[in-house]
């Protein structure tokens, strides 16, 4: 009977400690979730900026950033080849020069194959519409906003012969936004693209004519 107060106080202490640990755990979870949400938002913003910068670089005609060359490490690991001793040239006489000239065959003129290659390239380029034209055609007559995945699904359904990726579709949409042919807006952490309303843009762009008061 004398041990009952001690056990009750120990239980009370353990219960208080468990409650404090639970509260600290919940606080840590909420703090880590907030940090994850912040980092996720920063990552999405960086991805958007990366796609926009790539689109602007492609539009401006700039060369993409080159990766660091890997040939230097390979050359260090491969052993150096033994250098053959240089041969001392023998003095040439008139007879040896005549024999060398007779032994050399006449070189055939080189054929110019550049026009054929450019012609084949022009045929392949003009064989069908570009990806920008196809994507812009998907927005014709539709005012509802679409994400990159929506456009990719419609593109693969309407044109199964075209091989593309979400990054290529995103870059194409950003290029159309940069040219003013599409509009972009962000809702609830997602990016939507819509075609601008041509009627409202036309009415907004035309100046209104004020009524001229009648002369007395």
């Amino acid at each position: 009977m004398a041990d009952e107060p001690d056990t009750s106080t120990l239980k009370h202490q353990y219960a208080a400690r468990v409650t404090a640990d639970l509260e600290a755990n919940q606080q840590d979870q909420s703090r880590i979730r907030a940090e994850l949400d912040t980092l996720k938002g920063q990552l999405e913003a960086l991805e958007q900026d990366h796609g926009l910068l790539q689109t602007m670089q492609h539009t401006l005609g700039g060369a993409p950033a080159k990766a660091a060359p890997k040939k230097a490490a390979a050359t260090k690991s491969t052993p150096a080849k033994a250098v053959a001793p240089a041969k001392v040239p023998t003095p040439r006489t008139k007879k040896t020069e005549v024999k060398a000239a007779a032994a050399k065959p006449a070189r055939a003129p080189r054929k110019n194959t550049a026009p054929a290659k450019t012609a084949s390239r022009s045929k392949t380029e003009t064989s069908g519409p570009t990806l920008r034209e196809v994507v812009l055609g998907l927005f014709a007559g539709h005012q509802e906003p679409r994400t990159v995945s929506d456009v990719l699904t419609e593109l693969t359904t309407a044109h199964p012969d075209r091989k593309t990726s979400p990054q290529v579709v995103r870059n194409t949409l950003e290029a159309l936004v940069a040219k003013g042919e599409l509009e972009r807006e962000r809702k609830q952490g997602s990016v939507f693209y819509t075609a601008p309303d041509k009627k409202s843009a036309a009415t907004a762009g035309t100046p209104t004519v004020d009524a001229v008061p009648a002369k007395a």
Side-chain angles (χ1 to χ4, degrees):
M1 299 294 291
D3 295 337
E4 289 182 358
D6 295 334
T7 57
S8 62
T9 54
L10 287 174
K11 288 181 180 178
H12 181 71
Q13 291 177 359
Y14 282 129
R17 183 176 298 178
V18 169
T19 303
D21 291 341
L22 281 174
E23 292 178 356
N25 192 322
Q26 291 176 356
Q27 291 177 0
D28 291 339
Q29 287 184 12
S30 60
R31 177 178 57 81
I32 292 174
R33 285 195 185 96
E35 291 178 356
L36 285 175
D37 293 338
T38 303
L39 291 174
K40 186 177 179 181
Q42 292 178 358
L43 179 60
E44 290 179 355
L46 289 174
E47 289 178 351
Q48 295 295 330
D49 294 340
H50 184 266
L52 180 59
L53 290 173
Q54 282 186 340
T55 304
M56 294 176 66
Q57 185 184 43
H58 180 70
T59 305
L60 296 174
K66 296 182 179 179
K70 298 181 180 179
K71 293 183 179 180
T75 54
K76 291 182 180 179
S77 59
T78 55
K81 295 182 179 179
V83 180
K87 295 181 180 180
V88 180
T90 57
R92 301 183 66 180
T93 60
K94 291 183 179 181
K95 292 182 179 180
T96 56
E97 290 179 357
V98 173
K99 289 181 181 180
K104 289 182 180 179
R107 294 183 179 178
R110 295 181 180 178
K111 294 182 180 180
N112 189 7
T113 58
K117 292 182 180 179
T118 54
S120 61
R121 288 181 182 177
S122 61
K123 288 182 180 180
T124 55
E125 291 177 357
T126 57
S127 58
T130 60
L131 182 59
R132 292 184 182 181
E133 295 175 352
V134 174
V135 172
L136 191 60
L138 297 176
F139 285 87
H142 300 280
Q143 295 296 331
E144 64 273 8
R146 301 177 185 175
T147 60
V148 176
S149 59
D150 296 337
V151 177
L152 181 62
T153 302
E154 294 183 10
L155 183 62
T156 53
T157 303
H159 303 275
D161 55 339
R162 284 184 175 269
K163 296 181 180 180
T164 183
S165 63
Q167 186 63 37
V168 175
V169 174
R170 187 188 301 276
N171 294 340
T172 304
L173 292 171
E174 291 294 337
L176 292 173
V177 171
K179 289 187 175 181
E181 297 180 356
L182 290 179
E183 294 179 353
R184 178 185 61 189
E185 59 180 344
R186 190 182 185 89
K187 292 181 179 179
Q188 297 179 354
S190 299
V191 180
F192 293 90
Y193 299 89
T194 54
D197 192 0
K198 295 182 179 179
K199 293 183 179 180
S200 60
T203 54
T206 54
T208 57
V209 179
D210 297 334
V212 180
K215 295 182 179 179

